[in-house]
Amino acid sequence: MVSPNTATPATVRQVNRAILLNLIRTHQPVSRIQLSALTGIYRSNVSFIVEELIQEGLVCEKRGKPEGRGRVPMFLSLNPDGFQVVGVSIRAGETVSAVADLTGRIRQSTSFRTPKSPSAWLEHFRTALARLRSAAGPGPGTFHHLCVSVPGMVNQASGEILWMNALPNYSGYKLRDAAEAATGIATSVANDCHLATTCERWLDNTAGDLKNFVFLEVGDVGVGAGMIVNGELCTGHNSTFAAEFGHMVVDPSGPRCNCGRKGCWELFICDRATWGYYDATREFSASRFAEVIQAAKAGDRKAVRAFQKTAAQLSLGISNIVMVLNPEVVVLAGRVTEVWDLIYPSMANAVGTLPGKPQIRPARMSAEELFLHGAIRHALSGLFAAPQLG
Ligand SMILES: [Zn+2]
């Protein structure tokens, strides 16, 4: 009898299939011979798997230019019409739903105001999905997977929202089960920053070579984060939370955090904190924050000092994270990255003397785009990821 922890020939073929599909994605158009050279997989095995992918409509081939008197080479690409998924990003104000093809490109999108109750949300979402289905036309009307990005704590294994500060009525809602029952589409639910982390990895030019990195999203009133360790997203032992760097206590006598403790790091680096360093006499608002950004860009000394203070606090936390995880890269998202030249020197200074010296860079997309595209990538990941053993 075969142990469930053992790789069978079928598992090996599935792993090779995922590897080839990923290489077609990153190297397209690419020939079978090139795929064999890139992977070391026998040409006959490459051809066998490629035929399977063509049959399933995931890959298409096009004739290349004739090479001398030799055969005309055939080049392989992902078939964008072969597979469609739905990515959804719930934010406190608005929910965006998008249909994407196999390459991750968004075909259609639609949005609605996020209601206060999750059952009302589900009704709105059904309507949005019907709109997307009719926009997709009569051809590719099947959506193979649905992934929802949630700005809160989620049990990724069960798809239940455990805690959502911005929308308290959603806490305890079994979103995955409810969405599957309402739509008939296989669904996964994940934390927004965890999805953004995997999206950043996908977008990385070195495609999969980035094995250890930390993602930080500096938001209006909090900080979200995710981390990839040894090539895997870390979700904690019970799939509920990990990498909550924003709640590292940096000042036990500091202000009260909504996690119940005092002096959490996010209270010193979120946009509301920067606003407080700039103008403590007026309440923070997301639209007012644009004021301090513009002022800092124009060289206003008070605004520059406010961002320098935030940068000093950011640097403190990042240097601690680096000492624990030794990541290759720390990626930062959020509006604070709009004044990158102001905040970067302090962070570079703080990690420059540490062993490992990670690169610190801004994210490749805005945080909102990363949440939505992260959901899309996650919905596609079943195709591109090799099966796990055990
Ligand atoms: Zn906290």
Side-chain angles (χ1 to χ4, degrees):
M1 189 182 154
V2 178
S3 149
N5 293 325
T6 313
T8 66
T11 324
V12 174
R13 198 166 61 241
Q14 274 176 284
V15 171
N16 286 343
R17 180 187 149 108
I19 291 170
L20 291 176
L21 203 52
N22 263 315
L23 284 172
I24 294 170
R25 174 176 74 83
T26 52
H27 289 72
Q28 59 187 338
V30 62
S31 71
R32 290 170 176 78
I33 294 168
Q34 287 168 324
L35 286 175
S36 175
L38 283 165
T39 56
I41 302 172
Y42 286 124
R43 281 186 205 180
S44 56
N45 287 348
V46 168
S47 291
F48 181 81
I49 293 169
V50 164
E51 285 323 305
E52 202 177 77
L53 295 171
I54 292 172
Q55 289 294 319
E56 291 173 27
L58 298 174
V59 166
C60 51
E61 58 181 342
K62 275 200 186 114
R63 205 171 281 275
K65 288 200 177 101
E67 293 169 346
R69 296 197 305 159
R71 290 170 58 182
V72 180
M74 299 297 281
F75 287 99
L76 305 161
S77 307
L78 293 183
N79 174 13
D81 294 324
F83 201 91
Q84 295 206 40
V85 296
V86 182
V88 180
S89 172
I90 301 179
R91 310 302 303 157
E94 189 182 49
T95 295
V96 181
S97 311
V99 172
D101 64 27
L102 190 55
T103 65
R105 191 171 63 89
I106 291 178
R107 291 284 185 93
Q108 282 95 28
S109 68
T110 183
S111 60
F112 58 85
R113 282 196 70 76
T114 306
K116 296 270 182 284
S117 98
S119 51
W121 181 90
L122 194 62
E123 279 314 304
H124 280 72
F125 177 62
R126 279 163 71 127
T127 310
L129 196 64
R131 213 176 301 144
L132 291 172
R133 258 192 228 284
S134 64
T142 311
F143 302 143
H144 290 265
H145 200 99
L146 163 66
C147 176
V148 188
S149 160
V150 170
M153 203 182 277
V154 172
N155 184 324
Q156 215 160 298
S158 70
E160 180 183 348
I161 298 173
L162 300 174
W163 184 62
M164 215 200 280
N165 191 46
L167 296 159
N169 294 337
Y170 287 59
S171 304
Y173 187 58
K174 292 185 169 56
L175 178 58
R176 185 193 67 192
D177 294 351
E180 282 187 351
T183 66
I185 306 172
T187 302
S188 43
V189 180
N191 168 268
D192 54 1
C193 282
H194 285 185
L195 291 171
T197 305
T198 48
C199 188
E200 268 294 330
R201 185 172 187 226
W202 178 293
L203 293 171
D204 195 85
N205 294 333
T206 49
D209 289 334
L210 196 56
K211 292 225 175 345
N212 292 280
F213 83 98
V214 170
F215 170 82
L216 294 170
E217 185 248 337
V218 178
D220 290 351
V221 295
V223 169
M227 61 182 179
I228 301 269
V229 178
N230 292 333
E232 295 288 335
L233 180 76
C234 185
T235 58
H237 81 278
N238 56 1
S239 307
T240 53
F241 78 98
E244 287 289 350
F245 298 118
H247 295 288
M248 297 188 298
V249 173
V250 293
D251 179 4
S253 56
R256 177 80 61 188
C257 178
N258 63 30
C259 74
R261 302 182 308 161
K262 279 183 169 181
C264 290
W265 187 40
E266 67 177 30
L267 301 172
F268 299 93
I269 59 170
C270 66
D271 294 348
R272 185 171 58 190
T274 304
W275 176 259
Y277 303 144
Y278 175 64
D279 185 350
T281 63
R282 288 187 296 156
E283 272 295 300
F284 165 80
S285 75
S287 53
R288 270 189 185 158
F289 191 64
E291 233 181 83
V292 64
I293 289 179
Q294 287 316 316
K297 280 182 175 171
D300 176 271
R301 288 179 67 178
K302 207 168 135 201
V304 168
R305 268 205 301 274
F307 278 107
Q308 281 170 340
K309 202 162 172 188
T310 302
Q313 295 287 348
L314 258 172
S315 308
L316 174 71
I318 288 174
S319 63
N320 285 338
I321 293 167
V322 167
M323 285 307 276
V324 175
L325 293 172
N326 185 19
E328 299 156 80
V329 182
V330 177
V331 176
L332 225 63
R335 294 171 76 190
V336 73
T337 59
E338 291 176 38
V339 288
W340 190 252
D341 292 347
L342 271 181
I343 61 166
Y344 177 71
S346 164
M347 295 185 292
N349 227 3
V351 301
T353 52
L354 304 179
K357 286 188 195 169
Q359 182 200 350
I360 301 177
R361 66 162 173 81
R364 294 202 157 81
M365 293 178 170
S366 73
E368 274 67 28
E369 288 171 316
L370 282 171
F371 301 146
L372 182 63
H373 281 274
I376 290 167
R377 310 291 167 177
H378 189 86
L380 286 167
S381 65
L383 277 175
F384 292 102
Q388 301 284 317
L389 294 181

